Amino acid sequence: MNKSKVYFTKNITSENMIKMYEALGNPLPGKVAVKLHSGEVGNQNFIRPPFLKPVIEHVNGTIVECNTAYEGKRNTTEEHWNTMKLHGWTEIAPVDIMDSEDELILDTPNGKRIQKNYVGGHMANYDSMLVLAHFKGHPMGGYGGALKQLAIGCASRAGKALIHSAGKTDDRFETWRQHASSVVFPEAMADAASSVVEHFQGKIAYINVMKNLSVDCDCCAVAEDPCMKDIGVLASVDPVAIDQACIDLVVNSDDPGKEHFMERVNSRNGIHTIEAAADLGIGSREYEWIEI
C-alpha cells in the first residue's frame, strides 16, 4: 500500500483545526457526522466544545455519539443527553445519540474476531464522517485515537459488548466477565473500525488532537492528569497512518513522561490495533509526513 499523507502542526488552535481539515483537500459531502468524545462526567481531560466549535461549524456537522456499555453518566440515552448538555455540546452544534432508537448492522466478512458490527442506527442518516479524536491513553485499549473512535465510539451498547468480548457476547452486563485478552480485543476493534470505513466509502476524514496526554481515556470519571506536554494536531484520510504517527511522536519525544504513557500502551498491546487494522487493508503504517 502506498504511503498515506499525514499533516501536522504543533500549534493547537481552533483556527489550525480548520487549516488541517482543508489541507486534506477532501471536502466531506452531504450531511456530515462529527464523531468525538463527549467526556464522562468528572473527567478533566476531554477536549472542550468551544475549541472544536469552529471546525464543526466549518463542515456544517452534527455531533454524533453512542451510549456506553459501562455504568456511568452516558450509558442510557437520557443520561447521555444530560451529559451532552452539562458539558456544553448542545450549545455549539446539533447533537445525535446514534443508538437512541435502533442499531445498524455492518458486515465484517474479513474480520479476525467479529463478522458483524453493531453501530448506532442513525449512522445511516449521514453521507460522510469527520472523526475528531482526542489522542490519549486508555485503560483497556492502551491508547485511544482515530481507530478507537471508529470502533468503540460508533458502536451501540451491544456493539461495544461484542467488541470488548471479541465476539463472545453482545450482552453489556456479561461482557465484563468475558473481556477479551490483549491480543484479540485489539483485533476486534480493528474489525469494527474497518466496517465503518467501508460504510462511508472514502467519505471520511480524521483529525487527532494531541493535548492533555493522560494515560487514561476521556471515558474515565476519575482520570490521571496528563503525563506529557501537548504535542500538536494531525490530520489524514487514513486512520491507521494517523494513529501510527501519533504513537511515533510520543516514542520520539524527549518528554520524560513518554515512558509512563508508552507503558500504558504496550502493557495493553495497544499497537496491535494499528497492526490489525493495517492487515485488514483500511490504511497504511507507512506515511508521508507533511508539517504545516
Side-chain angles (χ1 to χ4, degrees), residues 49-292:
F51 176 79
L52 296 177
K53 179 181 179 181
V55 71
I56 295 171
E57 290 182 337
H58 186 71
V59 300
N60 194 27
T62 298
I63 296 168
V64 300
E65 264 280 37
C66 285
N67 295 318
T68 63
Y70 58 84
E71 296 302 315
K73 297 298 184 180
R74 299 185 303 132
N75 71 332
T76 68
T77 298
E78 181 181 4
E79 289 278 24
H80 209 156
W81 270 112
N82 289 338
T83 298
M84 285 294 198
K85 293 172 185 175
L86 176 67
H87 286 171
W89 296 110
T90 56
E91 297 177 11
I92 68 162
V95 172
D96 183 4
I97 308 299
M98 291 197 294
D99 62 338
S100 61
E101 295 177 309
D102 54 16
E103 296 171 316
L104 175 66
I105 301 175
L106 304 179
D107 291 329
T108 57
N110 299 316
K112 297 173 181 291
R113 300 296 168 181
I114 60 175
Q115 277 64 56
K116 292 190 181 295
N117 182 32
Y118 300 89
V119 300
H122 294 178
M123 184 181 286
N125 299 333
Y126 298 93
D127 303 296
S128 58
M129 177 174 277
L130 175 61
V131 178
L132 299 179
H134 175 205
F135 184 86
K136 69 285 183 191
H138 193 278
M140 293 182 176
Y143 85 95
L147 290 168
K148 179 180 176 292
Q149 283 296 328
L150 289 172
I152 300 295
C154 290
S156 66
R157 289 193 297 180
K160 287 177 171 67
L162 197 67
I163 297 165
H164 275 286
S165 65
K168 291 181 180 179
T169 180
D170 60 7
D171 184 329
R172 71 187 182 94
F173 299 105
E174 180 66 21
T175 191
W176 307 115
R177 289 190 288 273
Q178 298 195 37
H179 194 275
S181 73
S182 61
V183 173
V184 297
F185 173 49
E187 292 176 357
M189 278 212 292
D191 292 343
S194 71
S195 73
V196 178
V197 171
E198 291 296 325
H199 173 77
F200 283 107
Q201 297 281 307
K203 294 174 288 188
I204 190 164
Y206 310 89
I207 299 177
N208 282 8
V209 183
M210 299 186 74
K211 68 175 297 183
N212 299 346
L213 290 161
S214 169
V215 298
D216 286 327
C217 180
D218 298 341
C219 59
C220 299
V222 179
E224 273 195 27
D225 286 334
C227 62
M228 295 182 68
K229 294 179 181 177
D230 296 348
I231 293 177
V233 179
L234 296 84
S236 184
V237 294
D238 182 334
V240 176
I242 196 171
D243 278 7
Q244 182 66 60
C246 287
I247 291 291
D248 291 344
L249 281 169
V250 171
V251 170
N252 295 322
S253 168
D254 59 4
D255 191 315
K258 75 176 184 181
E259 300 298 333
H260 184 47
F261 191 95
M262 288 308 300
E263 189 279 331
R264 172 60 59 89
V265 175
N266 293 327
S267 65
R268 273 66 168 181
N269 203 18
I271 294 172
H272 190 47
T273 306
I274 299 173
E275 294 170 340
D279 192 46
L280 289 170
I282 64 169
S284 171
R285 298 182 71 188
E286 299 292 325
Y287 54 89
E288 177 185 351
W289 181 258
I290 304 170
E291 190 159 349
I292 295 177

Side-chain angles (χ1 to χ4, degrees), residues 6-83:
V6 175
Y7 297 86
F8 172 77
T9 179
K10 64 181 179 181
N11 298 313
I12 306 174
T13 66
S14 294
E15 294 75 18
N16 277 339
M17 294 288 285
I18 296 173
K19 288 181 181 178
M20 298 300 281
Y21 170 76
E22 289 293 322
L24 297 175
N26 185 44
L28 296 174
K31 189 174 182 180
V32 182
V34 178
K35 182 65 190 73
L36 49 73
H37 202 304
S38 52
E40 187 57 64
V41 174
N43 185 276
Q44 74 275 34
N45 297 321
F46 72 94
I47 307 298
R48 297 308 197 266
F51 176 79
L52 296 177
K53 179 181 179 181
V55 71
I56 295 171
E57 290 182 337
H58 186 71
V59 300
N60 194 27
T62 298
I63 296 168
V64 300
E65 264 280 37
C66 285
N67 295 318
T68 63
Y70 58 84
E71 296 302 315
K73 297 298 184 180
R74 299 185 303 132
N75 71 332
T76 68
T77 298
E78 181 181 4
E79 289 278 24
H80 209 156
W81 270 112
N82 289 338
T83 298

